[in-house]
Amino acid sequence: MDNKKRKAIFAGSFDPITNGHLDIISRASKLFDELQIGVLINPNKKGLFSLEERVKLIELCTKDLDNIKVIEFEGLLVNYCREHGIDTLVRGVRSEADVNYELQMAHMNKELDSDIETIFLPTNKQYSFVSSSLIKEVLKFGADVTNLVPKEVLIALENKTR
Protein backbone atom coordinates (compact mmCIF):
# COMPACT_ATOMS: atom_id res chain seq x y z
CA MET A 1 0.00 0.00 0.00
CA ASP A 2 1.34 3.41 -0.98
CA ASN A 3 1.28 5.84 1.96
CA LYS A 4 2.51 8.75 -0.12
CA LYS A 5 0.85 12.02 0.82
CA ARG A 6 -1.40 13.25 -2.00
CA LYS A 7 -0.30 16.82 -2.75
CA ALA A 8 -1.66 19.26 -5.30
CA ILE A 9 -1.28 22.93 -6.12
CA PHE A 10 -3.81 25.54 -7.24
CA ALA A 11 -1.81 28.42 -8.68
CA GLY A 12 -2.70 31.90 -9.82
CA SER A 13 -2.22 35.59 -9.16
CA PHE A 14 -5.28 35.86 -6.87
CA ASP A 15 -5.44 39.66 -7.17
CA PRO A 16 -7.77 39.48 -5.31
CA ILE A 17 -9.01 36.05 -4.29
CA THR A 18 -12.72 35.66 -5.08
CA ASN A 19 -15.54 33.43 -3.91
CA GLY A 20 -15.03 31.48 -7.13
CA HIS A 21 -11.41 30.76 -6.15
CA LEU A 22 -12.53 29.76 -2.66
CA ASP A 23 -15.12 27.39 -4.09
CA ILE A 24 -12.39 25.60 -6.08
CA ILE A 25 -10.02 25.61 -3.08
CA SER A 26 -12.66 24.17 -0.75
CA ARG A 27 -13.62 21.41 -3.16
CA ALA A 28 -10.03 20.55 -4.10
CA SER A 29 -8.98 20.45 -0.44
CA LYS A 30 -11.29 17.46 0.00
CA LEU A 31 -9.47 15.54 -2.73
CA PHE A 32 -5.90 15.87 -1.44
CA ASP A 33 -3.98 15.47 1.81
CA GLU A 34 -2.30 18.82 1.14
CA LEU A 35 -3.40 21.57 -1.21
CA GLN A 36 -0.94 24.35 -1.80
CA ILE A 37 -2.20 27.69 -3.01
CA GLY A 38 0.58 29.03 -5.20
CA VAL A 39 0.61 32.81 -5.47
CA LEU A 40 2.41 33.72 -8.65
CA ILE A 41 5.16 36.33 -8.55
CA ASN A 42 4.93 38.16 -11.87
CA PRO A 43 7.42 41.05 -11.98
CA ASN A 44 5.82 42.28 -15.23
CA LYS A 45 2.41 42.79 -13.62
CA LYS A 46 1.48 45.57 -11.24
CA GLY A 47 -1.38 44.22 -9.19
CA LEU A 48 -3.83 45.99 -6.94
CA PHE A 49 -2.51 44.03 -3.95
CA SER A 50 1.13 43.33 -3.16
CA LEU A 51 2.32 39.74 -3.04
CA GLU A 52 2.37 39.87 0.75
CA GLU A 53 -1.20 41.23 0.88
CA ARG A 54 -2.47 38.52 -1.47
CA VAL A 55 -0.82 35.77 0.60
CA LYS A 56 -2.25 37.21 3.83
CA LEU A 57 -5.77 37.49 2.34
CA ILE A 58 -5.65 33.87 1.13
CA GLU A 59 -4.44 32.70 4.53
CA LEU A 60 -7.29 34.59 6.22
CA CYS A 61 -9.88 33.24 3.81
CA THR A 62 -8.71 29.62 4.11
CA LYS A 63 -7.93 29.49 7.84
CA ASP A 64 -10.73 26.96 8.42
CA LEU A 65 -9.21 24.46 5.99
CA ASP A 66 -6.50 22.53 7.82
CA ASN A 67 -4.73 21.04 4.80
CA ILE A 68 -4.02 24.30 2.96
CA LYS A 69 -0.57 25.78 2.60
CA VAL A 70 -0.16 29.18 0.93
CA ILE A 71 3.14 29.65 -0.88
CA GLU A 72 4.60 32.13 -3.32
CA PHE A 73 6.61 31.15 -6.35
CA GLU A 74 8.03 32.42 -9.60
CA GLY A 75 9.16 30.64 -12.69
CA LEU A 76 7.72 27.46 -14.16
CA LEU A 77 5.10 25.78 -12.03
CA VAL A 78 6.29 22.32 -13.10
CA ASN A 79 9.75 23.11 -11.70
CA TYR A 80 8.23 24.11 -8.36
CA CYS A 81 6.16 20.92 -8.36
CA ARG A 82 9.16 18.73 -9.12
CA GLU A 83 11.17 20.35 -6.31
CA HIS A 84 8.33 19.90 -3.77
CA GLY A 85 6.95 16.47 -4.64
CA ILE A 86 3.69 17.73 -6.13
CA ASP A 87 2.28 15.80 -9.08
CA THR A 88 -1.18 17.33 -9.53
CA LEU A 89 -2.22 20.77 -10.72
CA VAL A 90 -5.73 21.94 -9.91
CA ARG A 91 -7.37 24.34 -12.34
CA GLY A 92 -10.79 25.93 -12.13
CA VAL A 93 -12.71 26.41 -15.35
CA ARG A 94 -15.65 28.76 -15.86
CA SER A 95 -16.29 28.59 -19.57
CA GLU A 96 -15.38 26.96 -22.85
CA ALA A 97 -12.69 29.62 -23.32
CA ASP A 98 -11.14 28.64 -19.97
CA VAL A 99 -11.21 24.97 -20.96
CA ASN A 100 -9.43 25.69 -24.25
CA TYR A 101 -6.72 27.76 -22.56
CA GLU A 102 -6.28 25.39 -19.62
CA LEU A 103 -6.12 22.36 -21.91
CA GLN A 104 -3.22 23.96 -23.80
CA MET A 105 -1.47 24.68 -20.50
CA ALA A 106 -2.09 21.10 -19.28
CA HIS A 107 -0.56 19.69 -22.47
CA MET A 108 2.46 21.99 -22.17
CA ASN A 109 2.96 21.08 -18.51
CA LYS A 110 2.70 17.39 -19.39
CA GLU A 111 5.29 17.91 -22.13
CA LEU A 112 7.63 19.61 -19.64
CA ASP A 113 7.10 16.95 -16.95
CA SER A 114 5.35 13.69 -17.84
CA ASP A 115 4.63 12.99 -14.15
CA ILE A 116 2.40 16.08 -13.80
CA GLU A 117 -1.35 15.61 -14.01
CA THR A 118 -3.90 18.42 -14.28
CA ILE A 119 -7.41 18.16 -12.94
CA PHE A 120 -10.11 20.61 -13.96
CA LEU A 121 -12.86 21.57 -11.55
CA PRO A 122 -15.80 23.38 -13.07
CA THR A 123 -16.73 26.45 -11.11
CA ASN A 124 -19.98 26.68 -9.23
CA LYS A 125 -22.42 28.23 -11.72
CA GLN A 126 -23.07 31.19 -9.42
CA TYR A 127 -19.42 32.23 -9.89
CA SER A 128 -19.10 31.35 -13.58
CA PHE A 129 -18.69 35.01 -14.57
CA VAL A 130 -16.44 36.10 -11.69
CA SER A 131 -12.79 36.94 -12.22
CA SER A 132 -10.35 39.06 -10.24
CA SER A 133 -9.98 41.36 -13.25
CA LEU A 134 -13.71 41.86 -13.54
CA ILE A 135 -14.01 42.56 -9.80
CA LYS A 136 -11.38 45.30 -10.08
CA GLU A 137 -13.03 46.71 -13.22
CA VAL A 138 -16.53 47.07 -11.77
CA LEU A 139 -15.17 48.46 -8.51
CA LYS A 140 -13.85 51.46 -10.45
CA PHE A 141 -17.49 52.35 -11.06
CA GLY A 142 -18.63 51.81 -7.49
CA ALA A 143 -20.30 48.42 -8.02
CA ASP A 144 -21.27 46.27 -5.05
CA VAL A 145 -19.19 43.06 -5.07
CA THR A 146 -20.30 41.85 -1.63
CA ASN A 147 -21.55 38.49 -2.95
CA LEU A 148 -18.47 37.88 -5.10
CA VAL A 149 -15.57 38.14 -2.65
CA PRO A 150 -15.01 37.05 0.96
CA LYS A 151 -15.62 39.69 3.63
CA GLU A 152 -11.87 39.96 4.34
CA VAL A 153 -11.28 40.84 0.69
CA LEU A 154 -14.20 43.28 0.65
CA ILE A 155 -12.66 45.17 3.58
CA ALA A 156 -9.23 45.17 1.90
CA LEU A 157 -10.77 46.37 -1.39
CA GLU A 158 -12.60 49.18 0.40
CA ASN A 159 -9.33 50.25 2.05
CA LYS A 160 -7.49 50.17 -1.29
CA THR A 161 -10.09 52.04 -3.33
CA ARG A 162 -10.98 54.85 -0.90
Side-chain angles (χ1 to χ4, degrees):
M1 172 126 176
D2 186 5
N3 289 330
K4 182 181 169 195
K5 195 174 189 182
R6 294 173 306 144
K7 294 182 0 179
I9 189 166
F10 178 45
S13 58
F14 305 106
D15 186 38
I17 190 167
T18 69
N19 286 342
H21 292 130
L22 287 176
D23 174 59
I24 297 295
I25 291 167
S26 174
R27 290 167 43 215
S29 73
K30 295 172 187 169
L31 302 174
F32 299 95
D33 298 313
E34 179 182 296
L35 178 65
Q36 293 190 16
I37 311 304
V39 184
L40 179 63
I41 299 169
N42 186 342
N44 300 324
K45 242 184 178 178
K46 172 68 175 114
L48 179 62
F49 292 99
S50 70
L51 179 67
E52 295 76 21
E53 290 170 321
R54 289 181 280 149
V55 167
K56 182 69 174 162
L57 283 170
I58 296 166
E59 288 172 342
L60 281 170
C61 295
T62 60
K63 67 183 180 297
D64 295 333
L65 299 171
D66 61 0
N67 63 335
I68 300 293
K69 179 179 176 184
V70 183
I71 59 97
E72 50 192 71
F73 77 96
E74 64 183 321
L76 285 176
L77 183 56
V78 293
N79 291 342
Y80 176 86
C81 291
R82 195 177 301 123
E83 292 166 14
H84 294 90
I86 298 170
D87 61 7
T88 305
L89 309 178
V90 173
R91 302 302 300 161
V93 291
R94 296 167 296 199
S95 66
E96 186 178 340
D98 281 356
V99 172
N100 289 335
Y101 173 77
E102 294 295 346
L103 193 56
Q104 286 181 317
M105 291 300 295
H107 289 314
M108 178 57 81
N109 288 329
K110 192 71 163 172
E111 180 68 24
L112 296 172
D113 187 331
S114 62
D115 293 329
I116 294 287
E117 293 295 342
T118 301
I119 65 164
F120 301 120
L121 291 177
T123 190
N124 184 311
K125 65 182 175 184
Q126 77 185 81
Y127 304 122
S128 63
F129 63 94
V130 178
S131 70
S132 297
S133 300
L134 194 52
I135 295 290
K136 291 183 285 193
E137 185 67 29
V138 299
L139 271 175
K140 291 178 188 174
F141 299 100
D144 179 9
V145 296
T146 303
N147 295 327
L148 306 177
V149 296
K151 67 179 186 309
E152 298 88 349
V153 171
L154 192 60
I155 293 165
L157 284 167
E158 288 169 353
N159 290 335
K160 279 277 185 196
T161 57
R162 280 186 210 184

PDB file of all heavy atoms in Angstrom, residues 7 18 39 60 65 67-68 78 82 92 104 112 142 148 159-160:
ATOM      1  N   LYS A   7      -0.482  15.378  -2.758  1.00  0.00           N
ATOM      2  CA  LYS A   7      -0.300  16.824  -2.746  1.00  0.00           C
ATOM      3  C   LYS A   7      -0.652  17.402  -4.113  1.00  0.00           C
ATOM      4  O   LYS A   7      -0.324  16.820  -5.137  1.00  0.00           O
ATOM      5  CB  LYS A   7       1.147  17.188  -2.393  1.00  0.00           C
ATOM      6  CG  LYS A   7       1.503  16.795  -0.983  1.00  0.00           C
ATOM      7  CD  LYS A   7       2.888  17.125  -0.484  1.00  0.00           C
ATOM      8  CE  LYS A   7       3.881  17.809  -1.295  1.00  0.00           C
ATOM      9  NZ  LYS A   7       5.165  18.055  -0.626  1.00  0.00           N
ATOM     10  N   THR A  18     -11.266  35.487  -4.973  1.00  0.00           N
ATOM     11  CA  THR A  18     -12.721  35.656  -5.083  1.00  0.00           C
ATOM     12  C   THR A  18     -13.440  34.458  -4.474  1.00  0.00           C
ATOM     13  O   THR A  18     -12.813  33.445  -4.149  1.00  0.00           O
ATOM     14  CB  THR A  18     -13.144  35.779  -6.562  1.00  0.00           C
ATOM     15  OG1 THR A  18     -12.940  34.498  -7.192  1.00  0.00           O
ATOM     16  CG2 THR A  18     -12.368  36.866  -7.296  1.00  0.00           C
ATOM     17  N   VAL A  39       0.819  31.418  -5.056  1.00  0.00           N
ATOM     18  CA  VAL A  39       0.610  32.808  -5.467  1.00  0.00           C
ATOM     19  C   VAL A  39       1.768  33.188  -6.373  1.00  0.00           C
ATOM     20  O   VAL A  39       2.922  33.229  -5.948  1.00  0.00           O
ATOM     21  CB  VAL A  39       0.512  33.743  -4.251  1.00  0.00           C
ATOM     22  CG1 VAL A  39       0.185  35.159  -4.706  1.00  0.00           C
ATOM     23  CG2 VAL A  39      -0.546  33.238  -3.264  1.00  0.00           C
ATOM     24  N   LEU A  60      -6.098  34.234   5.437  1.00  0.00           N
ATOM     25  CA  LEU A  60      -7.287  34.585   6.225  1.00  0.00           C
ATOM     26  C   LEU A  60      -8.529  33.855   5.720  1.00  0.00           C
ATOM     27  O   LEU A  60      -9.326  33.348   6.512  1.00  0.00           O
ATOM     28  CB  LEU A  60      -7.545  36.099   6.152  1.00  0.00           C
ATOM     29  CG  LEU A  60      -6.701  36.995   7.038  1.00  0.00           C
ATOM     30  CD1 LEU A  60      -6.917  38.465   6.669  1.00  0.00           C
ATOM     31  CD2 LEU A  60      -7.039  36.759   8.498  1.00  0.00           C
ATOM     32  N   LEU A  65      -9.586  25.675   6.718  1.00  0.00           N
ATOM     33  CA  LEU A  65      -9.210  24.459   5.989  1.00  0.00           C
ATOM     34  C   LEU A  65      -7.825  24.034   6.480  1.00  0.00           C
ATOM     35  O   LEU A  65      -6.847  24.743   6.264  1.00  0.00           O
ATOM     36  CB  LEU A  65      -9.199  24.713   4.480  1.00  0.00           C
ATOM     37  CG  LEU A  65     -10.530  25.137   3.866  1.00  0.00           C
ATOM     38  CD1 LEU A  65     -10.347  25.571   2.416  1.00  0.00           C
ATOM     39  CD2 LEU A  65     -11.547  24.015   3.963  1.00  0.00           C
ATOM     40  N   ASN A  67      -5.743  21.651   5.671  1.00  0.00           N
ATOM     41  CA  ASN A  67      -4.732  21.043   4.802  1.00  0.00           C
ATOM     42  C   ASN A  67      -4.261  21.997   3.693  1.00  0.00           C
ATOM     43  O   ASN A  67      -3.744  21.573   2.671  1.00  0.00           O
ATOM     44  CB  ASN A  67      -5.254  19.740   4.190  1.00  0.00           C
ATOM     45  CG  ASN A  67      -6.456  19.948   3.294  1.00  0.00           C
ATOM     46  OD1 ASN A  67      -7.201  20.918   3.428  1.00  0.00           O
ATOM     47  ND2 ASN A  67      -6.662  19.028   2.369  1.00  0.00           N
ATOM     48  N   ILE A  68      -4.423  23.287   3.932  1.00  0.00           N
ATOM     49  CA  ILE A  68      -4.024  24.304   2.960  1.00  0.00           C
ATOM     50  C   ILE A  68      -2.692  24.919   3.377  1.00  0.00           C
ATOM     51  O   ILE A  68      -2.463  25.218   4.548  1.00  0.00           O
ATOM     52  CB  ILE A  68      -5.086  25.438   2.892  1.00  0.00           C
ATOM     53  CG1 ILE A  68      -6.438  24.897   2.472  1.00  0.00           C
ATOM     54  CG2 ILE A  68      -4.620  26.578   1.985  1.00  0.00           C
ATOM     55  CD1 ILE A  68      -6.505  24.374   1.066  1.00  0.00           C
ATOM     56  N   VAL A  78       5.851  23.723 -13.117  1.00  0.00           N
ATOM     57  CA  VAL A  78       6.292  22.323 -13.100  1.00  0.00           C
ATOM     58  C   VAL A  78       7.621  22.168 -12.362  1.00  0.00           C
ATOM     59  O   VAL A  78       7.847  21.143 -11.710  1.00  0.00           O
ATOM     60  CB  VAL A  78       6.369  21.694 -14.518  1.00  0.00           C
ATOM     61  CG1 VAL A  78       4.994  21.567 -15.138  1.00  0.00           C
ATOM     62  CG2 VAL A  78       7.317  22.457 -15.416  1.00  0.00           C
ATOM     63  N   ARG A  82       8.106  19.753  -9.155  1.00  0.00           N
ATOM     64  CA  ARG A  82       9.158  18.733  -9.123  1.00  0.00           C
ATOM     65  C   ARG A  82       9.987  18.864  -7.845  1.00  0.00           C
ATOM     66  O   ARG A  82      10.285  17.880  -7.174  1.00  0.00           O
ATOM     67  CB  ARG A  82      10.046  18.882 -10.361  1.00  0.00           C
ATOM     68  CG  ARG A  82      10.941  17.708 -10.635  1.00  0.00           C
ATOM     69  CD  ARG A  82      11.749  17.864 -11.929  1.00  0.00           C
ATOM     70  NE  ARG A  82      10.910  18.024 -13.095  1.00  0.00           N
ATOM     71  CZ  ARG A  82      10.973  19.073 -13.936  1.00  0.00           C
ATOM     72  NH1 ARG A  82      11.832  20.060 -13.717  1.00  0.00           N
ATOM     73  NH2 ARG A  82      10.188  19.142 -14.979  1.00  0.00           N
ATOM     74  N   GLY A  92      -9.357  25.659 -12.058  1.00  0.00           N
ATOM     75  CA  GLY A  92     -10.786  25.931 -12.126  1.00  0.00           C
ATOM     76  C   GLY A  92     -11.136  26.405 -13.521  1.00  0.00           C
ATOM     77  O   GLY A  92     -10.366  27.145 -14.144  1.00  0.00           O
ATOM     78  N   GLN A 104      -4.538  23.674 -23.215  1.00  0.00           N
ATOM     79  CA  GLN A 104      -3.224  23.963 -23.798  1.00  0.00           C
ATOM     80  C   GLN A 104      -2.143  23.965 -22.716  1.00  0.00           C
ATOM     81  O   GLN A 104      -1.069  23.397 -22.899  1.00  0.00           O
ATOM     82  CB  GLN A 104      -3.221  25.326 -24.495  1.00  0.00           C
ATOM     83  CG  GLN A 104      -3.943  25.358 -25.807  1.00  0.00           C
ATOM     84  CD  GLN A 104      -3.863  26.748 -26.423  1.00  0.00           C
ATOM     85  OE1 GLN A 104      -4.021  27.758 -25.746  1.00  0.00           O
ATOM     86  NE2 GLN A 104      -3.616  26.789 -27.710  1.00  0.00           N
ATOM     87  N   LEU A 112       6.467  19.203 -20.446  1.00  0.00           N
ATOM     88  CA  LEU A 112       7.625  19.608 -19.642  1.00  0.00           C
ATOM     89  C   LEU A 112       7.941  18.615 -18.532  1.00  0.00           C
ATOM     90  O   LEU A 112       9.098  18.480 -18.121  1.00  0.00           O
ATOM     91  CB  LEU A 112       7.386  20.997 -19.037  1.00  0.00           C
ATOM     92  CG  LEU A 112       7.252  22.134 -20.048  1.00  0.00           C
ATOM     93  CD1 LEU A 112       6.835  23.421 -19.347  1.00  0.00           C
ATOM     94  CD2 LEU A 112       8.546  22.330 -20.829  1.00  0.00           C
ATOM     95  N   GLY A 142     -17.865  51.842  -8.721  1.00  0.00           N
ATOM     96  CA  GLY A 142     -18.627  51.806  -7.488  1.00  0.00           C
ATOM     97  C   GLY A 142     -19.591  50.643  -7.342  1.00  0.00           C
ATOM     98  O   GLY A 142     -20.515  50.703  -6.527  1.00  0.00           O
ATOM     99  N   LEU A 148     -19.452  38.469  -4.194  1.00  0.00           N
ATOM    100  CA  LEU A 148     -18.474  37.879  -5.099  1.00  0.00           C
ATOM    101  C   LEU A 148     -17.102  37.651  -4.471  1.00  0.00           C
ATOM    102  O   LEU A 148     -16.289  36.916  -5.030  1.00  0.00           O
ATOM    103  CB  LEU A 148     -18.333  38.757  -6.345  1.00  0.00           C
ATOM    104  CG  LEU A 148     -19.645  39.069  -7.077  1.00  0.00           C
ATOM    105  CD1 LEU A 148     -19.395  40.012  -8.244  1.00  0.00           C
ATOM    106  CD2 LEU A 148     -20.328  37.792  -7.517  1.00  0.00           C
ATOM    107  N   ASN A 159     -10.495  49.490   1.584  1.00  0.00           N
ATOM    108  CA  ASN A 159      -9.331  50.251   2.048  1.00  0.00           C
ATOM    109  C   ASN A 159      -8.435  50.682   0.885  1.00  0.00           C
ATOM    110  O   ASN A 159      -7.841  51.756   0.937  1.00  0.00           O
ATOM    111  CB  ASN A 159      -8.525  49.443   3.059  1.00  0.00           C
ATOM    112  CG  ASN A 159      -9.258  49.276   4.374  1.00  0.00           C
ATOM    113  OD1 ASN A 159     -10.123  50.083   4.743  1.00  0.00           O
ATOM    114  ND2 ASN A 159      -8.931  48.219   5.103  1.00  0.00           N
ATOM    115  N   LYS A 160      -8.347  49.847  -0.133  1.00  0.00           N
ATOM    116  CA  LYS A 160      -7.491  50.166  -1.294  1.00  0.00           C
ATOM    117  C   LYS A 160      -8.124  51.211  -2.208  1.00  0.00           C
ATOM    118  O   LYS A 160      -7.404  51.965  -2.853  1.00  0.00           O
ATOM    119  CB  LYS A 160      -7.259  48.901  -2.140  1.00  0.00           C
ATOM    120  CG  LYS A 160      -6.200  48.004  -1.629  1.00  0.00           C
ATOM    121  CD  LYS A 160      -4.843  48.444  -2.061  1.00  0.00           C
ATOM    122  CE  LYS A 160      -3.835  47.409  -1.611  1.00  0.00           C
ATOM    123  NZ  LYS A 160      -2.485  47.896  -1.649  1.00  0.00           N
TER     124      LYS A 160
END
